[in-house]
Amino acid sequence: MITMCSSSGLLSAILLGYFLRLLQLLSTCLAFSLVASVGTWMGAVSNWSVFIWCFCFLLTLIILIIEFCGLQSRFPFSWYNFLITYACYAALLCTSASIVYPITYIWFFPHGRSQDHAIAATAFSCIASVAYASEAAWARTWVWLGVITGYMVTVPGLLKGLETFVAGVIFAFIIDSHLYLHQPALVWCVAVYSICFLLAATALLLNWCDCDNRLPIAFPTFLLGLTLLSVLLYTTALVLWPLYQFDEQFGGQPEWSSCNDGLIYSLCTWDQRLAVAILTAINLLIYVVDLVFLAHMVFSRTEDQLRGSQFPLLYKS
């Protein structure tokens, strides 16, 4: 749960939160407005970027309205944990849009109004990324000062959020079913991505709804089991996906082939396969770091409990 230590700390948190959210609203609004105003809104990548900016703008606006009306207490979950989680996700989403959109579009536009608007939209997307990241970093600062405490501002919480985000990006790349339906091993990889995403999302939802204390085992131990299972599943995906996508013996395509498009509105199939392979390795690394951190936490707590149970025996003797 979230606790506030002083009224001055609460006031500072509210004022800074309002300032950052107004900056987030302005930057995301200008980003999608600039892209839509000159007709550069076309293709899967551009649609994804515009969706990110519109989604972040709309949800930030809803958050502001809820806070102005004082409706936070009516939600059946920890409001501050939700805000921190949303800030982390929005920072990652806007950062991805700030990277993918210019790489895919800006260099292919002729000099003129369209390119200028695309460059300006990218700049405002970067500002939005900084604003959301600042809110997440600000929350971490208040944790260190003892003003706010919560699962999503801890290392395991941030790692769980990052795991679900990378999985979401993988889903965006495998939206075309022809990438995997022709091979049962690749279908298994997609199942792995889905299962691990659901496991991480379940852990986050249990904490948001304050249900983590209702489990029959300790929450860190529960997370340790989920993370260990995810590591094992992702290891199989890391082996099978590149094997069946890039090895000729298994029907893969080892060499890159060009899309031969003048203006790239979508990534080539080979690029999508490579992106999924790289993201699989990245997410497996994140899961391994999460597993090591949780194992250290669980076993350290167990050792402390064992030492505490031994002290009375030593005193009795």
Side-chain angles (χ1 to χ4, degrees):
M1 292 292 294
I2 303 299
T3 56
M4 290 293 177
C5 294
S6 63
S7 58
S8 60
L10 176 60
L11 179 61
S12 300
I14 292 175
L15 292 177
L16 184 56
Y18 283 154
F19 170 76
L20 290 174
R21 289 188 191 105
L22 289 175
L23 181 60
Q24 295 158 6
L25 276 179
L26 178 63
S27 55
T28 52
C29 178
L30 289 173
F32 72 73
S33 298
L34 286 167
V35 172
S37 63
V38 292
T40 59
W41 181 7
M42 48 190 167
V45 175
S46 182
N47 290 341
W48 172 246
S49 300
V50 172
F51 168 77
I52 288 174
W53 296 326
C54 292
F55 172 79
C56 293
F57 171 81
L58 181 61
L59 193 52
T60 303
L61 179 61
I62 293 174
I63 289 172
L64 271 174
I65 294 174
I66 290 174
E67 291 189 332
F68 274 125
C69 297
L71 302 176
Q72 303 96 313
S73 59
R74 300 190 179 184
F75 291 89
F77 51 79
S78 175
W79 177 252
Y80 290 97
N81 255 337
F82 166 74
L83 292 181
I84 295 166
T85 305
Y86 168 65
C88 294
Y89 277 118
L92 292 171
L93 288 170
C94 289
T95 300
S96 65
S98 303
I99 295 173
V100 174
Y101 182 78
I103 290 177
T104 310
Y105 284 91
I106 288 181
W107 307 116
F108 300 95
F109 283 127
H111 293 286
R113 186 164 174 253
S114 296
Q115 189 182 65
D116 293 339
H117 278 235
I119 294 174
T122 302
F124 282 112
S125 181
C126 292
I127 294 174
S129 303
V130 173
Y132 284 114
S134 298
E135 183 177 356
W138 155 82
R140 290 286 298 173
T141 301
W142 283 106
V143 171
W144 295 332
L145 296 176
V147 177
I148 300 175
T149 60
Y151 173 68
M152 282 310 301
V153 292
T154 63
V155 174
L158 293 174
L159 289 174
K160 275 288 173 285
L162 189 58
E163 291 159 6
T164 56
F165 172 78
V166 175
V169 178
I170 291 176
F171 292 143
F173 280 110
I174 60 176
I175 192 171
D176 295 328
S177 59
H178 70 272
L179 288 176
Y180 56 86
L181 283 182
H182 61 285
Q183 288 286 358
L186 297 177
V187 175
W188 165 254
C189 293
V190 175
V192 166
Y193 303 141
S194 303
I195 292 171
C196 294
F197 174 82
L198 291 175
L199 292 177
T202 299
L204 292 176
L205 288 174
L206 286 174
N207 185 264
W208 290 344
C209 299
D210 295 327
C211 297
D212 48 334
N213 293 326
R214 302 178 186 178
L215 297 173
I217 58 176
F219 190 58
T221 305
F222 173 75
L223 292 179
L224 180 63
L226 293 185
T227 307
L228 178 59
L229 177 60
S230 298
V231 168
L232 296 176
L233 291 175
Y234 255 89
T235 301
T236 64
L238 183 62
V239 174
L240 294 176
W241 184 270
L243 190 64
Y244 282 86
Q245 294 287 14
F246 305 117
D247 194 327
E248 287 183 333
Q249 296 181 356
F250 295 91
Q253 182 182 354
E255 296 182 358
W256 178 81
S257 60
S258 175
C259 293
N260 296 320
D261 291 336
L263 179 62
I264 300 177
Y265 293 134
S266 61
L267 293 176
C268 299
T269 301
W270 197 92
D271 295 332
Q272 290 176 296
R273 294 169 177 168
L274 179 62
V276 173
I278 294 174
L279 290 169
T280 301
I282 291 174
N283 219 15
L284 177 58
L285 179 61
I286 297 171
Y287 273 110
V288 170
V289 174
D290 193 10
L291 179 66
V292 172
F293 193 90
L294 287 170
H296 175 73
M297 179 189 301
V298 170
F299 292 126
S300 296
R301 179 176 299 181
T302 303
E303 289 179 1
D304 292 340
Q305 291 175 349
L306 290 175
R307 290 174 182 174
S309 63
Q310 290 173 356
F311 287 150
L313 296 177
L314 293 175
Y315 282 116
K316 286 181 181 179
S317 61

